[in-house]
Amino acid sequence: MASGNGDALRVIGRPHRKVDAVDKVTGQTKFADDLYLPQMLYCKILRSPHPHARITSIDTSTAKELPGVKGVLVGRDIPIAFGILPVSQDEHALAPDKVRFIGDPVAAVAAISEEIATETLDRIHVEYEQLDAIASIEQALANPEPRIHDYGDSGNLHKLVSLEFGDVEEGFEQAYLVREDLFFYGGSTHLPMEQHAALASYSADHKLTLWSSTQTPHYVQRALAKVLEMPASRIRVIACPNGGGFGGKSDPFSHEIVVAKFAMMTGRPVKITLTREEVFYCHRGRHPTLMWAKTGVTKDGHITAMHFRTALDGGGYGSYGVASTYYTGALQTVTYQVDRYKFQGMRAFTNKPPCGPKRGHGTPQPRFALEVQMDKLAEQLGMDPADMRLRHLVPENSLTANYLRVGSIGLGACIEKVVDGSQWRDRFRKLPEGRGVGLACSSYLSGAGLPIYWNNMPHSGVQLKCDRGGGITVFCGSTDIGQGSDSILAYIVAEVLGVDPFEIRIVTADTDLTPVDLGSYASRVTLMSGNAALQAAERARDMIAPEVAQKLDVPRDRLVFADSRVFDSEDPERGMTFAEAVQAAEGALGTIGTVGSYTPPKSPGRYRGAGVGPSPAYSYSAAVAEVEVDIDSGIVRVLKIWIGHDIGRCINPTTVMGQVEGSIYMGLGEALMEDMEYRENFHVVHKIPSMLEYKSPTTLDMCEVETYLISDPDPNGPFGAKEAGQGPLLPVAPAVANAVYDAVGVRIDEVPIMPEKVRKALKQKASGKEARYGPTSFPDIPWPEPIHVPTPWEGGDGKALQHEETTTGPPPERQH
């Protein structure tokens, strides 16, 4: 492979060969002995200027004539559809017949330079027949035709969900207080520092290698195998260390497939780096979500019934959208006891960039609604919001109404820490006008309980090799996207085998070299890959220990692995180095290598939709936000956040603190300023597809943070560890909204909380109207008949009723 130009060019593997020239047209490197090596090609993608249109013709003839162009692709060249979910195989590498949002890929060029590739895009002539564009949830409901896709539950409605656990109406009848509220959570994008990029190479033995900034190399390999009709065994995907993902690099993307196809066509390495504007078009960010919540409580705040509805603007493709829809209703039950629960969710197709899994995937939106409504209920009941929450926490080792199994729960300790640290009881409702404090709580997964493609194989695997010099190599398919997961694998193995973590080499995210791991999403890596590493390390220790015990003539159960030695606990001087221990074991057993794997426990839910929500363990967070609101301008400044996070047990407190505070930073952006805005009356074009105009917090906007890590080890985590990368984001926005109410007495029931929204609510308050800004109606949606599932305390077994039958009476003692 060549790098550089002219006399400065060096060829990998041939450092001493003299370069005569690089042909600017062919891109070939000429050496003194006339040997030519292929030069890198650069790819650019032509994207649709229309939100919804049929492609009537594409003319690439002029483009192909430009010197330096080595290939042009259109949709018919890569006709097989793909997608991350098996139920949403609706994307093409290049649109074959129809475009569904401005920025949808239409054609691609490979050339010897980025400049030539960019110029060539202007020579591709595409004719379109424009179709009516769907710009909102309301338009999707009102206009089933023209359909954006020819699949889905109804017209332009992608997914409709309706689930009921127990008799919700009976629960409302038993409530002392019932209130209904509407909320809206605006869409936002991930904004990773590094754009998407990919490089593909095709070898003479017909093997494809793709280097990509992806979070899910296993699923990218799967998509490539399908679309390119190649055996997966001939495709190698290497996930490079990338500058942030946050869920935005969890899908297989069109540019990855395009460069792979070009590499196969040309025999040259082909690279693409998306511009920042193109990253906005790739998107897969937070779904804009409209929510209606009806909750009934007793006099002391116990929830007798909850009915929750969500409507998601999904954009132009399926992505993770079916799972996203279920997630907007799955986790409401894992923080506070809910006797009866009903969830109805809808995802609409619209002609915008597709939404997907942004940090917290589908759960920040309903958590915002629930926590703000809890604040309102507490006020109506005359209760302190912290006390009301503390009274009704879900018990540990229990089942929820929708059959999620909760293990350890440190939420109570989280609430107590932030209440004490913020001096909540001395300041809540007692600060001067314009200053306020607000509280909110949350929970999140430590990995999803089911894989995307259901099977009985492990979710994560590890291979471990011990060498004679005392070195250890850990092979795992997990992907480090900046969260420090590689180091976690090293710490876990080092703890078991008693060596310095720096003596351990970690090889990850390479489908040729490492066992399968399903990817960096759903906060799964520490728990799942960590458990696989733990098992592999324990097996290696169990291979080494008997041979050391024999050599030292001590009982095996007295051996200690620590300080890079293996020694007798009763006589520490009696021992050997770890390297000598490995040599002793290898002499007796042969090469020392082990494997470990992890599969989550089965979920007790057996109804349709039960696959979304289960997790081996749930993390918990509580946050108090202090804000200052300028009454004249409406500007909200967050002065400080106190956050408690139930981490289970910290493996590396420094990285945990970084993850928690990074979540707060991202949560502040969503709470106050970040918004994916479109000009709906002007072609549904993105208003701000750049980092210059898309407002995100800078270091100057970041508030002071006080973090409390709550240790409540969970038996399902490695050494008791749970997640830290996503859960702490969830309570930030509702805590800020509740603090704004405490400061100026107005409810902002949607995010982002822009100054103009605060000003309008203050104006409403001054005129004697409802002191609120937020949505005022929820659309009529053709909900299907709900799936009825008796709750555990009604004698349910996790299965839906096969025929209409009801269970009555108050819920008995909860099952633990």
Side-chain angles (χ1 to χ4, degrees):
M1 186 182 297
S3 62
N5 288 297
D7 292 339
L9 184 76
R10 289 172 63 85
V11 178
I12 295 172
R14 305 173 189 268
H16 306 297
R17 304 194 60 217
K18 182 180 178 182
V19 174
D20 281 356
V22 176
D23 191 309
K24 293 183 179 180
V25 175
T26 65
Q28 290 181 314
T29 304
K30 186 175 182 181
F31 293 91
D33 58 1
D34 292 323
L35 175 68
Y36 285 85
L37 291 180
Q39 189 182 24
M40 177 91 73
L41 298 181
Y42 298 88
C43 176
K44 286 291 182 179
I45 292 176
L46 180 69
R47 298 178 182 273
S48 168
H50 304 295
H52 199 195
R54 290 191 183 91
I55 299 171
T56 58
S57 68
I58 301 181
D59 182 0
T60 62
S61 57
T62 307
K64 293 176 180 177
E65 294 171 355
L66 191 67
V69 173
K70 298 302 171 186
V72 179
L73 288 170
V74 295
R76 64 176 174 269
D77 299 317
I78 318 176
I80 298 174
F82 69 96
I84 185 63
L85 299 185
V87 295
S88 301
Q89 300 284 299
D90 58 1
E91 299 188 58
H92 289 84
L94 300 167
D97 53 10
K98 188 177 181 181
V99 293
R100 295 172 171 87
F101 67 93
I102 290 176
D104 212 354
V106 174
V109 174
I112 62 172
S113 72
E114 284 192 280
E115 292 78 11
I116 293 174
T118 302
E119 180 185 349
T120 306
L121 296 182
D122 293 333
R123 298 184 175 222
I124 300 174
H125 302 290
V126 185
E127 297 289 335
Y128 296 95
E129 176 193 340
Q130 293 194 51
L131 302 171
D132 291 340
I134 304 297
S136 66
I137 292 168
E138 291 75 14
Q139 288 183 22
L141 284 162
N143 299 281
E145 298 289 341
R147 296 189 73 177
I148 296 174
H149 288 281
D150 59 5
Y151 80 101
D153 284 355
S154 174
N156 283 309
L157 305 186
H158 179 200
K159 187 63 182 175
L160 290 163
V161 177
S162 191
L163 299 167
E164 185 169 12
F165 305 90
D167 188 336
V168 171
E169 290 305 317
E170 182 183 44
F172 288 132
E173 290 173 5
Q174 295 176 5
Y176 169 76
L177 170 66
V178 178
R179 71 168 295 134
E180 299 179 27
D181 289 288
L182 287 164
F183 302 94
F184 180 73
Y185 202 104
S188 57
T189 199
H190 312 82
L191 217 68
M193 187 174 294
E194 179 197 34
Q195 302 108 281
H196 298 251
L199 168 66
S201 177
Y202 192 65
S203 64
D205 59 350
H206 307 294
K207 291 183 178 178
L208 174 69
T209 302
L210 178 79
W211 294 263
S212 183
S213 56
T214 179
Q215 296 176 230
T216 54
H218 170 69
Y219 289 124
V220 172
Q221 181 193 43
R222 190 181 185 112
L224 288 170
K226 179 188 177 187
V227 175
L228 301 177
E229 299 182 284
M230 290 179 65
S233 60
R234 290 186 168 270
I235 299 172
R236 180 183 185 184
V237 177
I238 301 171
C240 305
N242 58 73
F246 314 115
K249 297 171 182 175
S250 296
D251 288 69
F253 283 100
S254 58
H255 61 272
E256 295 167 321
I257 297 170
V258 166
V259 294
K261 181 70 173 179
F262 271 135
M264 294 171 68
M265 288 171 54
T266 64
R268 299 185 181 201
V270 183
K271 178 183 178 181
I272 187 169
T273 302
L274 301 191
T275 65
R276 179 61 61 178
E277 182 174 350
E278 288 179 300
V279 175
F280 273 87
Y281 296 144
C282 281
H283 191 36
R284 317 301 159 125
R286 186 85 69 221
H287 284 75
T289 304
L290 179 65
M291 294 162 285
W292 173 86
K294 180 179 179 181
T295 303
V297 294
T298 61
K299 286 185 179 182
D300 70 346
H302 177 79
I303 299 172
T304 61
M306 181 184 292
H307 185 178
F308 204 88
R309 288 175 174 162
T310 62
L312 291 72
D313 183 338
Y317 289 96
S319 183
Y320 284 82
V322 171
S324 307
T325 306
Y326 279 105
Y327 271 126
T328 60
L331 300 190
Q332 277 83 314
T333 60
V334 297
T335 44
Y336 320 116
Q337 298 179 51
V338 178
D339 291 342
R340 304 165 183 86
Y341 179 57
K342 185 174 183 178
F343 168 64
Q344 293 172 304
M346 181 274 287
R347 183 181 193 261
F349 284 126
T350 60
N351 293 118
K352 300 174 185 175
C355 298
K358 188 185 176 188
R359 197 175 195 168
H361 190 192
T363 64
Q365 302 98 313
R367 183 54 57 178
F368 172 77
L370 175 58
E371 293 299 317
V372 174
Q373 189 176 62
M374 290 289 287
D375 213 55
K376 296 179 181 183
L377 286 164
E379 183 174 49
Q380 283 187 263
L381 293 170
M383 297 182 67
D384 182 292
D387 290 339
M388 190 175 83
R389 287 170 168 85
L390 283 167
R391 283 191 187 185
H392 304 294
L393 299 179
V394 170
E396 64 180 8
N397 302 315
S398 65
L399 283 180
T400 66
N402 56 338
Y403 288 88
L404 301 181
R405 186 175 296 283
V406 174
S408 64
I409 170 170
L411 181 54
C414 291
I415 295 172
E416 289 166 354
K417 277 288 188 182
V418 298
V419 164
D420 290 344
S422 65
Q423 298 179 304
W424 170 268
R425 303 191 192 282
D426 297 329
R427 306 176 75 209
F428 177 63
R429 299 288 192 262
K430 298 174 184 176
L431 294 175
E433 186 179 21
R435 292 283 285 266
V437 289
L439 169 71
C441 302
S442 69
S443 178
Y444 195 64
L445 316 166
S446 296
L450 286 172
I452 290 173
Y453 289 82
W454 290 10
N455 57 62
N456 59 2
M457 291 182 283
H459 291 212
S460 188
V462 161
Q463 292 173 323
L464 187 147
K465 176 181 73 70
C466 298
D467 64 54
R468 299 173 187 178
I472 300 168
T473 305
V474 179
F475 300 87
C476 181
S478 62
T479 308
D480 196 320
I481 56 172
Q483 82 278 38
S485 61
D486 283 4
S487 67
I488 295 299
L489 297 176
Y491 299 144
I492 289 172
V493 172
E495 181 71 17
V496 174
L497 296 179
V499 301
D500 189 320
F502 289 99
E503 297 300 319
I504 298 175
R505 184 180 298 275
I506 304 295
V507 179
T508 55
D510 184 328
T511 60
D512 260 18
L513 301 183
T514 62
V516 168
D517 177 83
L518 298 182
S520 284
Y521 62 92
S523 282
R524 56 179 301 284
V525 177
T526 291
L527 190 140
M528 297 196 180
S529 298
N531 271 323
L534 181 64
Q535 186 182 73
E538 288 174 341
R539 287 174 172 173
R541 184 186 60 195
D542 291 345
M543 291 179 70
I544 295 168
E547 307 310 320
V548 175
Q550 184 176 350
K551 274 194 172 290
L552 297 180
D553 192 25
V554 299
R556 177 179 168 179
D557 59 5
R558 278 174 30 195
L559 289 181
V560 175
F561 285 67
D563 299 325
S564 296
R565 298 179 65 240
V566 184
F567 55 87
D568 184 356
S569 60
E570 295 185 1
D571 182 8
E573 296 301 316
R574 190 175 188 180
M576 61 180 69
T577 66
F578 181 76
E580 292 169 337
V582 172
Q583 292 166 17
E586 187 172 346
L589 304 173
T591 301
I592 304 303
T594 62
V595 297
S597 59
Y598 179 76
T599 302
K602 288 186 177 180
S603 166
R606 294 291 183 269
Y607 56 89
R608 183 177 179 84
V612 175
S615 178
Y618 297 93
S619 72
Y620 290 89
S621 303
V624 168
E626 181 178 358
V627 304
E628 181 178 72
V629 182
D630 186 286
I631 295 175
D632 295 325
S633 67
I635 293 174
V636 177
R637 288 182 58 235
V638 179
L639 304 177
K640 185 170 181 177
I641 285 181
W642 295 261
I643 189 163
H645 183 66
D646 167 22
I647 184 61
R649 174 175 285 154
C650 278
I651 292 177
N652 182 338
T654 302
T655 57
V656 170
M657 297 280 275
Q659 287 293 293
V660 170
E661 294 178 12
S663 290
I664 292 171
Y665 165 83
M666 187 168 279
L668 286 174
E670 294 188 10
L672 297 176
M673 62 187 73
E674 295 192 37
D675 198 12
M676 289 284 280
E677 293 187 87
Y678 298 87
R679 303 180 193 274
E680 294 186 0
N681 296 324
F682 184 70
H683 260 188
V684 204
V685 66
H686 202 305
K687 288 176 69 175
I688 45 175
S690 76
M691 290 184 73
L692 177 65
E693 297 162 299
Y694 180 91
K695 300 305 178 189
S696 181
T698 68
T699 54
L700 298 177
D701 300 304
M702 184 62 179
C703 64
E704 183 182 352
V705 177
E706 191 161 338
T707 303
Y708 307 98
L709 299 181
I710 305 302
S711 182
D712 184 13
D714 193 288
N716 283 333
F719 300 108
K722 300 196 285 191
E723 78 88 32
Q726 302 190 59
L729 179 150
L730 274 63
V732 175
V736 170
N738 290 336
V740 169
Y741 179 73
D742 187 44
V744 292
V746 298
R747 287 287 180 189
I748 311 299
D749 287 342
E750 70 172 57
V751 293
I753 303 172
M754 300 287 200
E756 58 269 25
K757 298 176 184 178
V758 177
R759 288 200 309 271
K760 288 178 181 179
L762 287 168
K763 186 176 180 181
Q764 291 271 95
K765 179 184 177 183
S767 63
K769 299 178 182 178
E770 185 182 18
R772 175 186 180 271
Y773 184 94
T776 57
S777 64
F778 193 91
D780 290 330
I781 294 173
W783 301 113
E785 184 66 24
I787 295 172
H788 293 279
V789 185
T791 62
W793 39 91
E794 293 172 330
D797 59 1
K799 297 178 181 177
L801 294 176
Q802 297 302 312
H803 54 82
E804 287 302 314
E805 56 183 77
T806 58
T807 53
T808 58
E813 190 72 22
R814 291 175 173 270
Q815 295 181 4
H816 286 197

